[in-house]
């Protein structure tokens, strides 16, 4: 299995930010891991052009569950593919919170991504209150059962475990807490999709930075990272790519 360093730029970045792509590829032209950046949708086409022929793949942060139609302001997986996207993040906790996205909607989006021939990165994660009340595995189990697309394969599905309380806070779970969730997820995936589960990349996300990346990547069943803030600067994301390549 090739590990995956994925960056989620969220609602950050303009055309000027594409300078980071040149810097990243200059320092890491052929990393041992896969490398993906998910900029705002407005930058997908330009970033794809900038990354053409390189090791960098470009993804989107969300899509509509339908393939086309009267949905003003929305983007389908096919439209994102046409712009150059190879991956689409679905079910990020910020979308679950900001837009009330349910597991059922997330699954329908993930199915649309896979139907379009792209890779779905399905995000799940508990809130701080849920962790404090001992519900983490129950919450994560319900989310994975309800969010992953039917017939998912190792090639079409990536799962990202992102504890909501660790996103953008500088706080992370302990390494043993990460290990517990990731091994639980591997087992749950085996129950859902059988032997394909062994090849599904399970990413950790939430305050990953150059200083903690190596220790997180040494945790069993951590197959990469989904990086927010630290993916905006080529130097930081490049250091995370290097740590994953060495893991
Ligand atoms: P931060 O790395 O900024 O904590 O964000 C994580 C995240 O939400 C990636 O999708």
């Amino acid at each position: 299995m090739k590990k995956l360093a994925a960056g989620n730029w969220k609602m950050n970045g303009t055309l000027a930010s594409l300078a980071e792509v040149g810097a990243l590829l200059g320092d890491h032209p052929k990393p041992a891991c896969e490398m993906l950046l998910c900029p705002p949708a407005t930058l997908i086409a330009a970033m794809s052009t900038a990354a053409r022929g390189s090791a960098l793949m470009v993804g989107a942060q969300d899509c509509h569950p339908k393939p086309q139609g009267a949905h003003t302001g929305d983007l389908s997986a096919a439209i994102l593919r046409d712009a150059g996207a190879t991956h689409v993040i679905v079910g990020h906790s910020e979308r679950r919170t900001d837009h009330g996205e349910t597991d059922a909607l997330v699954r329908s989006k993930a199915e649309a991504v896979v139907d379009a021939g792209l890779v779905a990165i399905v995000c799940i994660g508990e809130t701080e209150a849920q962790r404090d009340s001992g519900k983490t595995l129950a919450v994560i189990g319900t989310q994975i059962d309800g969010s992953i697309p039917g017939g998912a394969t190792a090639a079409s599905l990536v799962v990202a475990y992102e504890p909501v309380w660790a996103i953008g806070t500088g706080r992370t779970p302990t390494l043993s807490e990460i290990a517990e969730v990731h091994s639980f997820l591997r087992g749950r995936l085996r129950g859902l999709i059988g032997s394909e589960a062994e090849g599904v990349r399970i990413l950790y996300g939430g305050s990953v930075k150059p200083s903690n990346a190596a220790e997180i990547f040494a945790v069993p069943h951590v197959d990469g990272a989904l990086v927010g803030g630290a993916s905006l600067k080529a130097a930081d994301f490049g250091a995370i790519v290097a740590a994953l390549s060495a893991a």
Side-chain angles (χ1 to χ4, degrees), residues 64-221:
H64 192 278
K66 296 261 169 60
Q68 74 277 310
H71 300 286
T72 301
D74 278 314
L75 298 167
S76 70
I79 286 172
L80 295 166
R81 183 188 60 210
D82 185 58
T86 53
H87 295 62
V88 184
I89 298 169
V90 294
H92 192 281
S93 66
E94 286 150 17
R95 293 211 57 91
R96 292 179 186 258
T97 302
D98 292 355
H99 301 278
E101 294 196 4
T102 61
D103 288 337
L105 178 61
V106 173
R107 169 186 272 151
S108 66
K109 291 183 174 195
E111 282 169 352
V113 172
V114 174
D115 286 350
L118 306 181
V119 180
I121 302 178
V122 176
C123 301
I124 54 175
E126 83 285 2
T127 64
E128 184 155 34
Q130 288 164 338
R131 177 162 282 277
D132 289 347
S133 56
K135 298 199 185 102
T136 298
L137 297 185
V139 167
I140 298 288
T142 301
Q143 287 179 331
I144 189 101
D145 291 355
S147 303
I148 75 159
T153 64
S156 65
L157 175 68
V158 172
V159 172
Y161 168 54
E162 300 205 303
V164 176
W165 53 273
I167 294 175
T169 60
R171 298 164 58 209
T172 56
T174 65
L175 299 177
S176 65
E177 286 168 339
I178 295 174
E180 179 188 37
V181 171
H182 279 242
S183 97
F184 170 81
L185 284 169
R186 184 77 64 201
R188 198 78 168 213
L189 283 168
R190 283 188 194 113
L192 291 167
I193 58 172
S195 60
E196 282 295 317
E198 309 309 327
V200 172
R201 271 79 59 86
I202 306 176
L203 311 183
Y204 169 77
S207 297
V208 176
K209 36 188 193 268
S211 59
N212 63 14
E215 61 182 21
I216 291 172
F217 295 151
V219 173
H221 300 293

